[in-house]
Amino acid sequence: MTTTLSERISQSAFDGSRLRVVLLLDLHDGAQTQFLEAYEHMRNQVASIPGHISDQLCQSIENPSQWLITSEWESAPPFLAWVNSEEHVATVQPLHSCVRDTRSLRFSVLRETGKGFETVPDPLKGGLQTSPRLGDGVVRHALTFTVRPGTEDIVAGLLADYESPRSRVDDHTRLRRTSLFMHGNRVVRAVEVEGDLMAALRHVSRQPEIRAVEEAINPYLEQDRDLADPDSARMFFTRAALPTVHHVSAGRHAPEELRRHAVFYQAKEGCGMALARLLAGHDEEAADDSASPIDSSTIFQRDDVVVRLLEASGPLDAQPAQALGIHGPDKAARLARLLDGDANVVPATDQDAARFLARSEMRLITDRRAADS
């Protein structure tokens, strides 16, 4: 199968374009005053975050309980660093008691018009997405958490042995695929959703079979949670979020020719975003290389944890440098400088790269597709 430009799917937080974040909120009745006080506190905190440009608070003219917060950022990375931080968790906590429902959307700025923009000198008009990207209608997201050392096999058994929930959420949303991996005592659950991600996550969390397995693993988690307490559950899943920062698919192979893998990287403190950016650049190059076994890559990153989910046409150890994201001049050395610990130093030879890959590849626990995928 020959790759054409129209088949290449790509999304990225690393294209340098400005970011528009839209937060839709539905407030509890009578919570407007409390909400405004919480917003003022949050606004003052966000204004000091590097990369933040501006924000706007709007109230619906049709339904006063519906509100809209928009913010603009110099690019996606500073926003992602902020929204995934413990500081952000603490800052937005006062909003939770005011809000019945929320939905967060993130957009790269592609075009800008209007008198205000037209009068800006050309050198200052940068930061726009250079061209439209081709999507496939799928939202990719992951969750990660750790379990107590020594309980890994128990947790793996519980996570592998449960009944799949209904894939259809509503007329517009469907859970397409769920993959569970483990690396040591770390669990990563990657999901693919057609439609509204938050609607799908809420749907899954309410299914009896999912609630049962979540309750079953509770005693083994390193971070305590009480799923019966909405605040406790919200805080756990907020901290567990592992957002997608890059995805590219070359479309060279039919789905049945591919196998799913995941590779785990522990970055040095403060180097997670730089590591994800390096791997993203490698995978963009691999998408143009017809000899590469990697057909698609999704990179998830939060703080110093980076996970690279791969669809490959053959075993990863057949081309370990490609699988690790170090194929090409100086990439092994650059990756080694970003990884945490002496044990993560990337070797220079293919034989040693294969051993490093064996340590980094995650164990697949279960990979489930919707029946009609």
Side-chain angles (χ1 to χ4, degrees):
M1 181 175 180
T2 302
T3 303
T4 66
L5 185 61
S6 63
E7 294 168 330
R8 181 172 174 143
I9 306 299
S10 180
Q11 67 184 88
S12 183
F14 302 126
D15 65 0
S17 58
R18 276 185 284 130
L19 184 73
R20 172 71 66 180
V21 180
V22 179
L23 183 63
L24 304 169
L25 307 102
D26 185 15
L27 301 191
H28 292 297
D29 296 337
Q32 280 84 353
T33 300
Q34 180 185 355
F35 168 73
L36 285 173
E37 292 174 353
Y39 170 76
E40 284 300 313
H41 172 72
M42 182 181 74
R43 180 180 66 84
N44 291 330
Q45 293 289 322
V46 176
S48 65
I49 302 300
H52 175 264
I53 298 174
S54 65
D55 58 61
Q56 209 173 42
L57 176 66
C58 309
Q59 185 178 22
S60 170
I61 62 174
E62 298 167 331
N63 181 352
S65 293
Q66 293 180 343
W67 293 69
L68 170 69
I69 299 175
T70 67
S71 61
E72 189 168 2
W73 297 75
E74 292 175 0
S75 62
F79 166 76
L80 292 173
W82 153 248
V83 79
N84 293 326
S85 68
E86 286 296 316
E87 183 183 2
H88 175 264
V89 171
T91 299
V92 301
Q93 179 66 28
L95 289 176
H96 293 157
S97 60
C98 311
V99 176
R100 181 183 295 113
D101 192 24
T102 63
R103 186 181 181 193
S104 179
L105 306 169
R106 295 97 183 257
F107 300 88
S108 293
V109 180
L110 181 66
R111 298 285 186 271
E112 195 165 34
T113 59
K115 294 180 180 178
F117 178 70
E118 291 168 358
T119 59
V120 173
D122 287 341
L124 301 180
K125 291 182 180 180
L128 298 184
Q129 183 181 322
T130 56
S131 60
R133 293 185 288 266
L134 180 66
D136 57 359
V138 176
V139 183
R140 296 168 175 86
H141 187 68
L143 297 169
T144 186
F145 52 87
T146 55
V147 299
R148 290 189 285 108
T151 67
E152 294 90 347
D153 288 341
I154 298 173
V155 173
L158 292 169
L159 293 175
D161 186 23
Y162 68 92
E163 185 179 350
S164 298
R166 289 185 297 109
S167 61
R168 178 66 61 181
V169 178
D170 54 38
D171 290 343
H172 308 288
T173 299
R174 184 175 70 108
L175 183 65
R176 194 172 85 160
R177 189 171 183 178
T178 300
S179 304
L180 274 156
F181 293 88
M182 292 186 70
H183 185 268
N185 70 328
R186 179 171 294 278
V187 178
V188 171
R189 176 189 290 136
V191 297
E192 296 179 0
V193 172
E194 294 177 5
D196 185 345
L197 173 65
M198 294 310 299
L201 295 179
R202 283 194 294 266
H203 162 79
V204 169
S205 69
R206 294 170 184 149
Q207 302 307 302
E209 56 272 27
I210 298 301
R211 295 189 68 87
V213 74
E214 293 288 352
E215 292 289 353
I217 67 173
N218 265 350
Y220 309 110
L221 299 178
E222 285 198 313
Q223 179 188 340
D224 292 335
R225 68 178 182 185
D226 179 2
L227 294 178
D229 178 354
D231 284 338
S232 175
R234 182 188 301 112
M235 293 301 288
F236 178 87
F237 287 111
T238 296
R239 289 189 171 101
L242 190 63
T244 303
V245 293
H246 189 84
H247 173 77
V248 62
S249 176
R252 284 190 289 266
H253 301 86
E256 59 270 18
E257 299 174 6
L258 301 171
R259 289 187 59 193
R260 173 159 285 194
H261 306 264
V263 182
F264 176 80
Y265 306 82
Q266 180 66 53
K268 289 180 180 176
E269 184 176 355
C271 293
M273 188 69 72
L275 175 55
R277 189 192 299 269
L278 175 66
L279 295 171
H282 171 273
D283 291 340
E284 285 290 330
E285 294 173 4
D288 292 330
D289 181 3
S290 60
S292 172
I294 308 301
D295 195 77
S296 77
S297 162
T298 306
I299 298 172
F300 304 98
Q301 180 259 330
R302 181 191 180 97
D303 299 329
D304 300 322
V305 170
V306 179
V307 173
R308 192 157 148 264
L309 186 67
L310 304 174
E311 301 284 347
S313 59
L316 289 190
D317 56 7
Q319 296 189 43
Q322 280 278 19
L324 286 170
I326 58 173
H327 178 69
D330 301 323
K331 286 186 180 176
R334 292 168 62 193
L335 181 62
R337 288 194 294 269
L338 296 171
L339 290 172
D340 181 47
D342 293 338
N344 281 327
V345 174
V346 178
T349 68
D350 284 345
Q351 185 177 15
D352 288 344
R355 285 196 288 266
F356 178 83
L357 176 62
R359 295 196 303 269
S360 302
E361 186 172 2
M362 304 187 75
R363 175 165 56 130
L364 178 62
I365 305 302
T366 184
D367 184 25
R368 305 179 183 216
R369 297 174 183 263
D372 54 346
S373 289

